[in-house]
Amino acid sequence: MNFSFSDDQVLLKNSVRSALDEQCKPAHVRAMFDDARGYGEALWSEMAKLGWLGLPFPEEQGGAGLGLVELGLVLEEMGRAAYPGPFFATVVLGGLGISLGGNAAQKDKWLSAISAGKARATAALLEEHLDWDSASTTATAEKSGGRWTLSGLKRFVPWAHVADIVLVPARAPEGLSLFLVDPKSVGVTLSPMVGIDLTNRWSEMRLDKVSVDPDAILGQPGSAGALLDSLLRRAAVMSSAEMLGAARRCLDMSVEYVKVREQFGQPVGSFQAIRHRCAEMLLEAENAHAAVYYAAWALTAGAEDAAVAASICKAYVSDAARKVCGDAIQVHGGIGFTWEYDLHLYMKRAKALEPLFGDAQFHRELIVRHVTSAR
Amino acid sequence: MDLNYTPEDVAFRKQVRTWLEQNLPKEIRNLEERRAWHRKLYDAGYLGMGWPKAYGGGGARPMEQAIVADEMAKANAPAPTNSLGLGIVGPTIVVHGTDAQKTRYLRKILSAEELWCQLYSEPNAGSDLAALKTSAVDAGDHFVVNGQKIWTSGGAIADWGLLLARTDTKVAKHKGISCFLMNMRQPGVDVRPLKQITGSSEFCEVFMTNARVEKSDQMGKLGEGWAIAQTTLGYERGGRALARITNYSSQFTRLVEAARRLRRHGRPLIEDPVVRQKLGRIWSEIEVERYQALRTLTLLERGEHPGAAGSLTKLSYSEFEKRFMELALEILGPYGQLTQGAPDDFKLQIDTAVGDNGSWAYAYLWSRAGTIYAGSSEIQKNVIGERILGLPKETRADRVGGKA
């Protein structure tokens, strides 16, 4: 039993931190607000070189063969830096999806390209009713002339505008299936959906009789339910790692600020009203840390409680990050409400992830189903 | 990172479980039976496990201690006695005591021949413990102690007490305090039970009128009492880390069973989405406490001390227990308030923190104590703010003008 990072994991964390401190400063984050693609190609190539893009994929596909604890460490740092770009979409939603459900040829093609920084991917997990239960999927896939024809409306598809491939769940005659769709195909219309978090880009993705190759399906037709559950758990835990990083940044900025901000002739951090709030923020961050890395380990190790641990993680961290980031604005006072101060970058990053991959209420229901059926 | 238990720990757990199956007493009716159970546990090697072998301990790893406590919680085993002796006084003597003190006291703590209490808090020195006024005056061959202590856990059955008393009123308040070992069985010591909101009396008030403390029972140098007390407050060894979670988990199971039986608007409470959300939140918190316990045990296994992070642990679980018990009483309605006449379905039937086979009502009331004793939540937050986050100390009235 050892709930601590290995030397290699610490090394990885430190190297991601220093690379992002150097190349993903707040000025870079802000510069990307107005960029058409929304991310920097130079940093993307650098991430490929550093091996981050292939981190969880097998070595045969140019990856590092590491687990979700390591990927979580990288994503925590990305949340901390409010990294703008399709890393999560590509590596977690697209890459892990293909890795979980793809055949050898699909993995060879896509995971190698992702690891090398040559392809970006994402997944279209949400429709207009916002139900994360994949059974609610209404998009359809019909078979005609040996090819699949997909129709439906997907919303909040992260980074679809720069993706080379999108994982699209649709209902085939055999049941729920998962397709690989090129967003530049005829019949696909992408329209931007702009949220408060400008480090993230969403698209609405309309599929109108989109023709897809017969082999562009992950796994067997009708078998995508378990695959999508599995992917959702991983996305829930990895997005929690990002929220944790964003919350840590907000806490660190708060602590530094209340040490130097003076009112009534003394640093405001000396007042218990402020100090106690900071202590509560630290407690939430530490608990969130435990929830993230326990779940990341459990999913990687295939532990018995992996599924419920993933739900516990997303439920806990969604609430914790909201509290920490919100309290950070409060202890900063007025400056925390200004556009020029960087705090809102991290607060909005966490806020954007809070409802994704199941919010706290969604996961609490899964938790209760689990504990009441096991007893 | 590997959160599986080692094969050795799994085997050890199995061994403890088997021993408990074979040795668990049916019922404990009085202190003598509890002492007998205590000795049986000690003889089996399950008490004082982390103490040095030289003083009768087992030299065991923190994980082994945690496993024993956890298996006892799983078996709903009665608690041993002398918890303060084992948990605080003994370890303090090990670190700060003279050889003579170690020889005289330690083994009798382990065997529960002598039961101990801790004489720290006073009516006007709670969170501000260093304001304590009980005095110890040098009378040549011994000290004479006068004053009043309160919130003395187990005071009514204690043979000895670990005492903080003022020996110098002319220096800063933290520097005039000394530490003593005081015989509780003497005419100058009057122990009165303190009836709590639970209706029971786990705590006492202790009145000392010209009580006697031998010179040989002074611990550390004069004026070192505050520093010694700081180390004893830090003796959270993670021993109960897992057992605490097991208790929560058993209570949660009982609560879910009750929620299946109770109904609202014609359907079982367990089907009510609001109740489900609340149960889901509490279960998440229980599990997060468990993950944190594993983190703490990892540190301890490496021989590191959590230090001020212990304040995070204590703040976290004590505040959680209040939320948990509030939900329990919300779900149970008036059943949760029963101290007598509860039908079996709505009884707690689980050992509570203090070793009694308690009711939900008792557990609920008791949860209010956790955020006050051993440093209130407010004090823990001060410690976290100052010692972990490095925030500036507040201006304190008793330090203005350099008086203290």
Side-chain angles (χ1 to χ4, degrees):
Chain A
M1 214 291 301
N2 176 9
F3 198 159
S4 66
F5 297 129
S6 67
D7 291 347
D8 283 349
Q9 287 165 338
V10 172
L11 210 61
L12 172 68
K13 183 183 172 74
N14 291 343
S15 78
V16 176
R17 169 84 54 104
S18 62
L20 291 176
D21 277 350
E22 189 59 38
Q23 300 184 52
C24 190
K25 294 184 168 77
H28 171 76
V29 175
R30 287 168 181 273
M32 289 301 112
F33 286 179
D34 303 318
D35 187 89
R37 289 173 67 80
Y39 75 101
E41 287 292 352
L43 182 49
W44 192 259
S45 309
E46 183 69 14
M47 294 196 301
K49 245 183 264 164
L50 291 167
W52 302 353
L53 289 168
L55 198 101
F57 308 131
E59 289 173 22
E60 305 86 76
Q61 280 114 28
L66 295 172
L68 295 178
V69 171
E70 287 84 0
L71 188 56
L73 284 169
V74 174
L75 285 163
E76 181 182 341
E77 291 305 316
M78 289 191 175
R80 195 176 192 284
Y83 161 75
F87 183 90
F88 184 94
T90 297
V91 177
V92 178
L93 297 180
L96 288 183
I98 291 166
S99 174
L100 287 167
N103 59 33
Q106 287 162 338
K107 287 186 194 170
D108 269 345
K109 177 176 179 187
W110 290 111
L111 299 184
S112 304
I114 289 171
S115 301
K118 292 187 179 123
R120 281 153 300 276
T122 187
L125 300 178
L126 212 54
E127 296 188 344
E128 59 179 330
H129 300 298
L130 302 181
D131 193 347
W132 290 98
D133 185 342
S134 62
S136 71
T137 303
T138 62
T140 57
E142 286 166 13
K143 214 180 235 168
S144 56
R147 290 177 67 83
W148 292 98
T149 305
L150 271 56
S151 292
L153 177 64
K154 303 288 180 180
R155 285 196 172 137
F156 302 98
V157 188
W159 300 92
H161 68 298
V162 296
D164 298 289
I165 199 77
V166 184
L167 275 59
V168 178
R171 197 158 289 287
E174 295 88 342
L176 188 60
S177 309
L178 189 55
F179 296 90
L180 292 166
V181 177
D182 180 346
K184 287 176 271 310
S185 307
V186 176
V188 173
T189 315
L190 298 179
S191 347
M193 303 178 89
V194 181
I196 55 173
D197 173 23
L198 296 172
T199 68
N200 176 47
R201 299 289 170 97
W202 281 315
S203 293
E204 177 180 279
M205 182 181 190
R206 197 174 284 277
L207 298 104
D208 183 18
K209 300 199 178 77
V210 178
S211 178
V212 175
D213 281 345
D215 60 355
I217 184 166
L218 289 175
Q220 295 303 309
S223 70
L227 167 58
L228 285 165
D229 287 350
S230 210
L231 181 58
L232 189 72
R233 278 178 211 130
R234 282 158 177 76
V237 175
M238 293 297 98
S239 63
S240 298
E242 277 203 16
M243 286 192 281
L244 168 62
R248 286 255 191 226
R249 182 66 165 259
C250 286
L251 171 59
D252 290 352
M253 289 176 75
S254 299
V255 169
E256 290 317 304
Y257 184 75
V258 303
K259 282 179 189 170
V260 296
R261 166 72 176 175
E262 292 197 2
Q263 291 285 276
F264 307 101
Q266 51 192 309
V268 296
S270 67
F271 300 127
Q272 291 196 355
I274 300 294
R275 188 147 31 116
H276 286 188
R277 204 184 275 266
C278 291
E280 289 162 15
M281 291 161 74
L282 177 66
L283 175 58
E284 290 304 327
E286 288 298 328
N287 282 350
H289 172 104
V292 165
Y293 291 103
Y294 184 92
W297 171 82
L299 284 169
T300 306
E304 216 175 295
D305 63 340
V308 71
S311 284
I312 286 167
C313 170
K314 186 60 169 58
Y316 194 93
V317 180
S318 295
D319 286 343
R322 181 182 60 248
K323 177 180 160 55
V324 172
C325 299
D327 282 359
I329 293 181
Q330 184 64 26
V331 301
H332 273 83
I335 194 163
F337 195 68
T338 64
W339 187 267
E340 67 173 323
Y341 195 73
D342 291 327
L343 194 64
H344 68 112
L345 304 181
Y346 315 104
M347 173 267 193
K348 288 171 180 170
R349 178 62 159 262
K351 190 70 196 166
L353 293 167
E354 194 184 314
L356 299 190
F357 317 114
D359 65 3
Q361 292 194 8
F362 175 91
H363 283 287
R364 281 199 286 268
E365 172 58 28
L366 294 184
I367 293 162
V368 171
R369 281 182 203 174
H370 177 90
V371 293
T372 56
S373 68
R375 279 151 203 276
Chain B
M1 186 172 292
D2 178 3
L3 302 178
N4 287 311
Y5 289 95
T6 62
E8 293 76 29
D9 288 339
V10 173
F12 180 68
R13 188 181 277 279
K14 208 174 149 198
Q15 175 196 322
V16 176
R17 186 169 300 180
T18 308
W19 187 88
L20 282 170
E21 278 163 13
Q22 290 163 356
N23 292 280
L24 201 63
K26 275 203 184 67
E27 196 186 2
I28 296 227
R29 284 162 303 194
N30 53 46
L31 182 59
E32 276 325 295
E33 289 183 356
R34 197 173 288 278
R35 267 191 225 257
W37 168 235
H38 179 114
R39 287 197 191 105
K40 203 164 183 181
L41 282 167
Y42 176 58
D43 291 341
Y46 296 149
L47 281 185
M49 295 176 69
W51 289 31
K53 283 186 174 168
Y55 305 115
R61 291 183 298 115
M63 181 57 87
E64 291 169 315
Q65 300 168 54
I67 286 172
V68 168
D70 193 29
E71 284 301 317
M72 285 182 64
K74 286 199 165 108
N76 206 13
T81 183
N82 218 9
S83 62
L84 283 173
L86 291 169
I88 292 186
V89 180
T92 306
I93 295 176
V94 168
V95 176
H96 300 284
T98 62
D99 284 342
Q101 286 167 346
K102 290 175 188 171
T103 310
R104 164 65 186 80
Y105 294 113
L106 290 175
R107 279 181 197 275
K108 291 191 174 181
I109 291 176
L110 286 169
S111 64
E113 271 174 83
E114 289 173 347
L115 305 182
W116 283 74
C117 66
Q118 199 181 2
L119 301 161
Y120 281 21
S121 294
E122 297 182 5
N124 290 312
S127 286
D128 186 10
L129 181 61
L132 62 86
K133 289 200 165 58
T134 293
S135 66
V137 175
D138 191 335
D141 66 335
H142 68 281
F143 289 92
V144 176
V145 179
N146 282 285
Q148 181 191 349
K149 295 288 176 178
I150 195 170
W151 300 116
T152 306
S153 179
I157 55 170
D159 303 295
W160 288 84
L162 181 67
L163 170 75
L164 289 183
R166 188 162 301 284
T167 45
D168 190 342
T169 53
K170 294 184 187 66
V171 295
K173 64 179 184 177
H174 295 78
K175 293 180 180 148
I177 298 169
S178 303
C179 187
F180 303 96
L181 310 173
M182 186 179 79
N183 191 336
M184 298 288 286
R185 310 286 186 188
Q186 59 168 307
V189 175
D190 181 19
V191 182
R192 300 178 204 166
L194 196 159
K195 194 168 179 179
Q196 306 134 205
I197 62 171
T198 51
S200 54
S201 298
E202 279 82 9
F203 296 102
C204 296
E205 291 180 286
V206 177
F207 297 84
M208 291 150 292
T209 312
N210 295 327
R212 181 185 172 103
V213 169
E214 302 304 325
K215 278 277 165 88
S216 59
D217 285 332
Q218 174 188 328
M219 194 152 60
K221 295 198 182 79
L222 288 180
E224 282 185 352
W226 182 252
I228 292 172
Q230 292 301 299
T231 63
T232 66
L233 290 172
Y235 280 133
E236 163 68 63
R237 285 292 185 214
R240 292 240 344 126
L242 297 175
R244 202 154 42 223
I245 317 300
T246 294
N247 282 339
Y248 298 154
S249 175
S250 314
Q251 290 172 335
F252 187 86
T253 304
R254 292 290 295 155
L255 190 58
V256 168
E257 286 165 7
R260 289 187 204 280
R261 299 207 145 266
L262 297 165
R263 302 173 82 84
R264 180 190 291 154
H265 298 306
R267 68 175 174 181
L269 272 190
I270 194 69
E271 290 170 18
D272 182 323
V274 175
V275 170
R276 293 174 73 79
Q277 281 294 314
K278 290 179 176 179
L279 284 170
R281 187 188 294 271
I282 290 296
W283 184 253
S284 307
E285 292 197 70
I286 291 174
E287 281 293 277
V288 169
E289 291 295 329
R290 183 169 72 86
Y291 309 155
Q292 288 289 33
L294 298 178
R295 273 176 96 187
T296 302
L297 282 167
T298 297
L299 273 184
L300 294 169
E301 285 279 289
R302 285 206 302 247
E304 294 172 32
H305 194 276
S311 288
L312 280 169
T313 306
K314 199 260 174 179
L315 175 65
S316 188
Y317 76 71
S318 62
E319 291 290 339
F320 160 72
E321 284 180 17
K322 284 199 300 202
R323 290 191 292 274
F324 184 14
M325 287 303 126
E326 276 162 13
L327 176 64
L329 261 71
E330 186 184 322
I331 286 177
L332 292 159
Y335 281 128
Q337 299 184 20
L338 291 177
T339 55
Q340 283 179 41
D344 282 349
D345 286 341
F346 305 110
K347 275 184 185 156
L348 181 53
Q349 293 176 322
I350 290 164
D351 227 32
T352 56
V354 285
D356 286 320
N357 204 1
S359 62
W360 284 108
Y362 184 89
Y364 166 74
L365 292 169
W366 188 253
S367 76
R368 303 302 314 190
T371 54
I372 299 171
Y373 65 61
S376 67
S377 289
E378 288 71 20
I379 293 293
Q380 305 299 346
K381 288 178 195 174
N382 281 346
V383 171
I384 294 163
E386 286 173 20
R387 289 175 51 200
I388 303 181
L389 297 174
L391 295 176
K393 282 184 162 47
E394 67 191 312
T395 308
R396 281 159 46 168
D398 63 352
R399 286 191 176 165
V400 170
K403 273 193 298 185

